[in-house]
Amino acid sequence: MTISVVRQEAIALVTVERPERLNALDTPTLRALLEVFHKLANDTSVRVLLLTGAGDRAFIAGADISEMAKKSPAEALAFAHLGHRVCQAIEDAPQPVIAVVNGYALGGGCEIALACDIRLASDRAVFGQPEVTLGIPPGWGGTQRLPRVVPPGIARELLYTGRRILAEEALRIGLVNAVYPAAELMDRAFELARQIAANAPLAVQLAKSATCFGTKHGLEAGLAYERQCFAFAFTTEDQREGMHAFLEKRQPHFRGQ
Ligand code: CAA
């Protein structure tokens, strides 16, 4: 298995397991990742997803170059399409997805991290879009998502130079939310996941859905969609529980209904 899933209560930890290739993604691994994300999207008992790479060297060192080197243009198009479907499955997952970047996140690895809601990095993480140094542009969303996450001029510099950046610089430009010592990273990621998982799951999903909708369709459409999400939340038990718990000065018990 090139992808493993481990459950800890409402949190699912998804790990890319190709450490001997620094977790580079070939077609079978991409397909396995897609299947896992589709399955988890339909699992209402999962409230938060963590995505990481096996070993202590890499999150994902990009698309598998030994596979790509042999591709025809038509095969490259299909490979880009598959990568886009994986990134879209991550972005469209109803649950928040946290990238736990424990090492190299290069090319397709950086693009997968960009499709996640939140990126946490270890102090050993290295980011970059080195595709241009291989004679290609990014093909799994880097040209679109990087300038939406970091300032556009910085994104363009990284996309055109292929320069690698360390965790500290990634933090400074807003590519990651936080940087932790490598030994602490996973504990901190679970801590954040537990904090999110303690909230009303449907409310968190609606917040994600509205945020993504507005990013895709613009402010006016996003605000209209947000109003509908807000009103929909008032059909849920969790809305009544959350507000009554506040008024009764007790902790809420959310059931995701
Ligand atoms: N594809 C295939 N194999 C890879 C790989 C990749 N992206 N990244 C690393 N590996 C393999 C290496 O070939 C090596 O295999 P062997 O032991 O069989 O030689 C093994 O993983 C360990 O890597 P290194 O020996 O190279 O380790 P290092 O510490 O010297 O260097 C590194 C680490 C800087 C990450 C280097 O491996 C590297 O530059 N990797 C490629 C990174 C890259 O360019 N990624 C972008 C790919 S293009 C892309 O992703 C396109 C897209 O937009 C979808």
Side-chain angles (χ1 to χ4, degrees):
M1 269 302 277
T2 49
I3 306 294
S4 69
V5 180
V6 175
R7 281 291 297 274
Q8 206 181 91
E9 294 166 4
I11 300 162
L13 171 64
V14 178
T15 306
V16 178
E17 303 268 3
R18 278 189 96 206
E20 71 289 353
R21 291 261 150 206
L22 301 184
N23 305 316
L25 297 176
D26 59 359
T27 295
T29 312
L30 276 172
R31 290 210 175 112
L33 197 53
L34 187 60
E35 198 183 315
V36 160
F37 269 89
H38 282 158
K39 220 179 251 174
L40 289 169
N42 292 313
D43 187 339
T44 53
S45 69
V46 175
R47 296 187 180 186
V48 183
L49 303 173
L50 300 177
L51 176 61
T52 195
D56 58 2
R57 296 196 58 210
F59 172 69
I60 297 167
D64 190 309
I65 299 171
S66 55
E67 179 185 334
M68 272 192 305
K70 305 174 205 125
K71 287 197 183 299
S72 68
E75 288 165 344
L77 184 62
F79 195 56
H81 196 227
L82 179 58
H84 282 168
R85 285 170 60 207
V86 171
C87 290
Q88 206 57 53
I90 293 171
E91 206 168 85
D92 290 344
Q95 310 91 340
V97 185
I98 302 172
V100 185
V101 183
N102 51 324
Y104 291 110
L106 298 173
C110 190
E111 290 167 304
I112 297 267
L114 284 164
C116 297
D117 293 274
I118 294 168
R119 286 157 292 282
L120 302 180
S122 92
D123 52 7
R124 293 194 208 138
V126 178
F127 295 81
Q129 296 289 163
E131 286 88 342
V132 290
T133 68
L134 296 166
I136 54 173
W140 293 353
T143 62
Q144 303 307 304
R145 289 195 179 91
L146 188 60
R148 285 168 166 82
V149 171
V150 307
I154 308 264
R156 287 174 192 229
E157 182 205 321
L158 295 175
L159 292 165
Y160 304 161
T161 60
R163 179 167 74 83
R164 289 191 215 142
I165 62 171
L166 304 180
E168 218 169 85
E169 185 172 353
L171 181 64
R172 183 157 44 79
I173 65 175
L175 180 54
V176 300
N177 293 48
V179 178
Y180 300 112
E184 274 179 35
L185 176 66
M186 196 50 80
D187 286 348
R188 295 302 197 103
F190 268 98
E191 210 171 275
L192 176 62
R194 276 193 292 273
Q195 195 184 346
I196 296 170
N199 292 324
L202 292 174
V204 172
Q205 291 183 17
L206 290 167
K208 172 170 178 172
S209 178
T211 305
C212 293
F213 188 95
T215 308
K216 268 188 208 154
H217 301 288
L219 179 66
E220 203 175 326
L223 290 173
Y225 185 72
E226 185 194 75
R227 286 193 292 279
Q228 298 306 316
C229 290
F230 186 74
F232 175 76
F234 285 75
T235 68
T236 66
E237 273 179 26
D238 283 350
Q239 173 266 329
R240 288 184 286 283
E241 168 62 10
M243 294 191 183
H244 286 138
F246 174 82
L247 296 172
E248 291 160 13
K249 302 188 187 308
R250 61 174 173 82
Q251 285 300 310
H253 295 290
F254 294 119
R255 290 156 28 108
Q257 292 173 1

